[in-house]
Amino acid sequence: MKIRNTVLALLSVFVLGTMASGDVSAASQRQSSKKAHSAKAANKSEKVAKSAPSKASRVASVRKPGRHATSSHVQRASFASVAPDMDNEGNPLLHSAAFMIADQATGNVLLEKNSDAVLPIASITKLMTAMVVLDARLSLTDILTIASDDVDTLRGSSSHVPVGTELPREDMLRLALMSSENRAASALARHYPGGLPAFVTAMNRKAVSLGLRETRFMDSTGLNSANVSSARDLVKMVSAASRYPLIREFSTTANYTVSLNGRPRQFNNTNALVSSPDWQIGVSKTGFINESGKCLVMQAWLLNKPMIIVLLDSFGRFTRVADAQRVKRWLESAAVQQKLAANMRGPAT
């Protein structure tokens, strides 16, 4: 009995040991399986991570093209807004048949087209009329009278200055330059020593002295289409006119009131740009007859420099002013580009 109990005890110990060993083996297998699964998952995650960018990377890769697209869009929009007024070389598309834009201080020509073409200049003539009057040093307080000889019989143009009007020479000069009054310009020549023939001779002599090779005058008003010049010559003529303080003042006066037969009458400048706060104009003169088309010459301060703008034979009522505005925008945009380029290069070392 004792031996039997001993055997049974030994068998119990064997069985319990085997079960414990099996539990340990199973647990080990489960742990190994879990580790293998974790390793497999980790390996899969690593492969996914390598094949796909992180969230930050995805955000960066999305935003970067977006910024470039926005920049390109802005550039395209900016180009589209400028393109209609620009040619392939970035110069303004002007609609005047002949023109020249020059830096008065240096003489450098910035832009030109048909600048040597000899064309009728209409009332641009009056700048020369004013120079001849002032060169003669005639009294500006002398009273001049508008006569029937001053009436336009060539083209039948109207005037706000009736026959019989009496005004000082200074007011006649002002009206001729500011409002392009033909009767005032005619009276100035008629009251010159020697009359109109002597006055026209003095005009042509002055043209020669200024080196105007393509310029000829037949009257003091510009109604005669034989009054001709070129854009190149007119740059010189405007430059010369800018040396006369009264021409600068009278040609850029926005409006002026005179007494005509006891009644006040306001006269306005034929160039609306002289009233614009965006322009600083030193000399201005417009002109028009059928043969010349719309004309405009100016000395204006642009980029803090005196620039001379000559626009001849502009088709349409507003073309000459629109062309002047295109020139201004072009010069200012060029200056902006230069400043941007200088800033990009950084300070000099």
Side-chain angles (χ1 to χ4, degrees), residues 27 83 96 114 151 172 194 245 253 308:
S96 300
N114 297 330
V151 175
M172 292 288 191
T253 300
I308 296 180

Side-chain angles (χ1 to χ4, degrees), residues 125-337:
T125 294
K126 294 182 177 73
L127 287 179
M128 182 60 79
T129 297
M131 284 191 282
V132 169
V133 169
L134 294 172
D135 285 349
R137 299 184 180 277
L138 302 173
S139 174
L140 295 178
T141 60
D142 286 349
I143 301 299
L144 310 186
T145 304
I146 300 295
S148 57
D149 289 343
D150 301 318
V151 175
D152 174 21
T153 57
L154 179 63
R155 300 178 184 276
S157 61
S158 62
S159 173
H160 296 300
V161 186
V163 173
T165 297
E166 296 181 346
L167 291 173
R169 181 177 275 110
E170 180 176 337
D171 281 350
M172 292 288 191
L173 186 60
R174 191 192 308 267
L175 295 183
L177 289 171
M178 182 187 75
S179 295
S180 207
E181 274 291 342
N182 292 313
R183 293 181 183 180
S186 175
L188 288 169
R190 199 168 45 79
H191 286 83
Y192 185 83
L196 178 60
F199 192 85
V200 171
T201 298
M203 293 175 75
N204 287 304
R205 187 185 302 118
K206 179 74 172 180
V208 171
S209 71
L210 294 176
L212 311 185
R213 299 181 179 180
E214 308 295 344
T215 304
R216 303 288 184 274
F217 296 102
M218 295 297 291
D219 75 356
S220 62
T221 64
L223 291 170
N224 193 323
S225 61
N227 286 14
V228 296
S229 188
S230 64
R232 189 178 302 278
D233 272 7
L234 289 178
V235 166
K236 297 178 183 178
M237 194 169 96
V238 173
S239 180
S242 71
R243 302 187 189 105
Y244 294 75
L246 284 181
I247 294 179
R248 293 199 304 269
E249 177 188 346
F250 294 170
S251 72
T252 59
T253 300
N255 53 69
Y256 184 71
T257 300
V258 298
S259 178
L260 300 179
N261 298 325
R263 293 184 179 181
R265 172 82 193 198
Q266 179 174 296
F267 291 81
N268 299 315
N269 201 303
T270 54
N271 180 10
L273 293 179
V274 301
S275 301
S276 172
D278 297 329
W279 284 84
Q280 186 180 353
I281 299 173
V283 172
S284 169
K285 192 68 201 77
T286 62
F288 172 75
I289 55 174
N290 289 333
E291 294 88 339
S292 70
K294 299 283 185 177
C295 303
L296 174 63
V297 299
M298 293 191 298
Q299 182 232 46
W301 287 82
L302 299 169
L303 309 180
N304 296 319
K305 296 180 179 180
M307 300 288 182
I308 296 180
I309 300 173
V310 174
L311 305 168
L312 301 179
D313 193 8
S314 301
F315 179 78
R317 182 179 178 185
F318 302 107
T319 300
R320 58 188 175 186
V321 171
D323 275 357
Q325 298 282 29
R326 291 184 185 99
V327 169
K328 184 175 185 292
R329 287 196 300 269
W330 171 67
L331 288 174
E332 290 174 346
S333 65
V336 169
Q337 293 299 325

